[in-house]
């Protein structure tokens, strides 16, 4: 029979404390890395979506918006249908885009739709002249600041969205006459963003498995010995 090593229980206790402390540190550090990766991915996606929205917005001429009345009278006109068709084609270039649209602001300060990418027969379509009374302060402010933004997540009657918003400016007066927007569902956005956490989370899990597996083997050998 083997003679017990003096203070072996104390050593095991110290090792156990060290292992569990290390595990907590690894877990916290891994969570911080994962969250940092998610935040970084979100920042990159916002920059990319804004750039993509800028590119699409350049296909919409300010003169076309000036020629629209922003009322039901636009429905069925050649220019209105052209813009609607053009935006529906643009939407097909990116599977993450849900809706594309151009909004205006009337004399009463109300935000309304000029045109969107949905067929007018669709129940979710926003026909010309429809007032959007759920506009956020950030969206309304674009008509004054002329600054492009990525808004969201913001909820409205249609859902929860993250939206790059681009001002359309009259080249003669430099006045913002419309805002072009692209809606991306928050669920879609989150799924893409949280994929960035997979690598640091997997590494964290692997380190924890190695740490506690090693501790388990060590204690098992000591108990046998």
């Amino acid at each position: 029979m083997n003679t017990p090593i003096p203070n072996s229980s104390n050593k095991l206790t110290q090792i156990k404390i060290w292992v569990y402390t290390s595990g907590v540190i690894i877990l916290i550090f891994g969570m911080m890395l994962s969250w940092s990766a998610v935040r970084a991915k979100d920042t990159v996606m916002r920059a990319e979506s804004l750039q993509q929205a800028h590119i699409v917005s350049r296909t919409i001429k300010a003169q076309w918006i000036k020629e629209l009345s922003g009322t039901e009278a636009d429905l069925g006109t050649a220019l209105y249908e052209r813009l609607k068709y053009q935006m529906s084609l643009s939407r097909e270039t990116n599977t993450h885009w849900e809706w594309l649209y151009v909004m205006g602001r009337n004399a009463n300060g109300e935000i309304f739709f000029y045109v969107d990418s949905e067929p007018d027969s669709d129940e979710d379509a926003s026909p010309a002249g429809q007032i959007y009374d759920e506009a956020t302060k950030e969206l309304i402010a674009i008509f004054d600041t002329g600054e492009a933004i990525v808004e969201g997540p913001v909820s409205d009657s249609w859902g929860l969205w993250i939206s790059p918003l681009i001002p359309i400016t009259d080249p003669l007066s430099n006045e913002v006459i419309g805002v072009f927007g692209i809606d991306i569902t928050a669920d879609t956005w989150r799924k893409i963003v949280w994929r960035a956490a997979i690598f640091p989370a997997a590494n964290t899990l692997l380190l924890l498995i190695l740490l506690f597996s090693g501790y388990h083997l060590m204690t098992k050998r000591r108990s046998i010995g």
Side-chain angles (χ1 to χ4, degrees):
M1 180 179 296
N2 292 326
T3 303
I5 301 174
N7 298 323
S8 61
S9 60
N10 290 336
K11 289 183 179 180
L12 283 175
T13 300
Q14 292 175 0
I15 292 172
K16 183 178 181 180
I17 293 173
W18 180 87
V19 168
Y20 277 87
T21 301
S22 299
V24 171
I25 293 173
I26 290 172
L27 180 61
I28 293 173
F29 188 64
M31 291 173 64
M32 291 173 62
L33 283 178
S34 297
W35 179 243
S36 178
V38 168
R39 291 292 298 273
K41 181 63 175 179
D42 181 80
T43 299
V44 169
M45 281 186 63
R46 287 176 184 270
E48 289 178 346
S49 66
L50 198 64
Q51 183 180 33
Q52 292 165 352
H54 267 296
I55 293 172
V56 178
S57 71
R58 293 193 189 106
T59 67
I60 302 172
K61 296 182 180 180
Q63 184 59 37
W64 296 347
I65 303 303
K66 292 173 66 176
E67 291 176 10
L68 294 172
S69 67
T71 67
E72 292 182 355
D74 291 332
L75 297 174
T77 63
L79 179 56
Y80 176 82
E81 294 298 332
R82 175 181 180 178
L83 282 167
K84 182 175 283 288
Y85 178 68
Q86 182 173 306
M87 284 195 288
S88 67
L89 288 180
S90 295
R91 184 179 61 179
E92 292 177 3
T93 64
N94 192 314
T95 57
H96 300 144
W97 295 349
E98 195 73 22
W99 278 292
L100 283 70
Y101 48 84
V102 177
M103 291 180 170
R105 182 170 66 174
N106 62 26
N108 297 323
E110 297 172 311
I111 304 301
F112 65 90
F113 286 93
Y114 273 115
V115 61
D116 73 0
S117 57
E118 299 302 299
D120 286 329
S121 58
D122 193 307
E123 62 178 8
D124 288 327
S126 298
Q130 177 179 313
I131 300 298
Y132 183 59
D133 55 14
E134 298 178 84
T136 62
K137 293 180 180 179
E138 290 76 14
L139 169 56
I140 297 172
I142 297 175
F143 287 92
D144 299 316
T145 65
E147 295 182 4
I149 65 170
V150 178
E151 183 182 54
V154 170
S155 62
D156 62 14
S157 300
W158 288 271
L160 185 63
W161 313 100
I162 295 176
S163 310
L165 302 169
I166 311 296
I168 299 175
T169 306
D170 184 345
L172 298 178
S173 65
N174 205 35
E175 176 187 3
V176 177
I177 58 175
V179 172
F180 170 71
I182 299 174
D183 283 347
I184 304 166
T185 66
D187 283 344
T188 297
W189 187 278
R190 287 170 183 153
K191 286 177 183 177
I192 298 171
V193 166
W194 280 98
R195 287 175 192 161
I198 292 176
F199 183 72
N203 281 341
T204 300
L205 180 60
L206 178 61
L207 286 174
L208 289 173
I209 290 173
L210 291 174
L211 176 66
F212 286 101
S213 294
Y215 172 70
H216 176 72
L217 287 174
M218 182 191 67
T219 53
K220 186 176 181 180
R221 287 175 181 174
R222 281 178 173 267
S223 64
I224 293 174

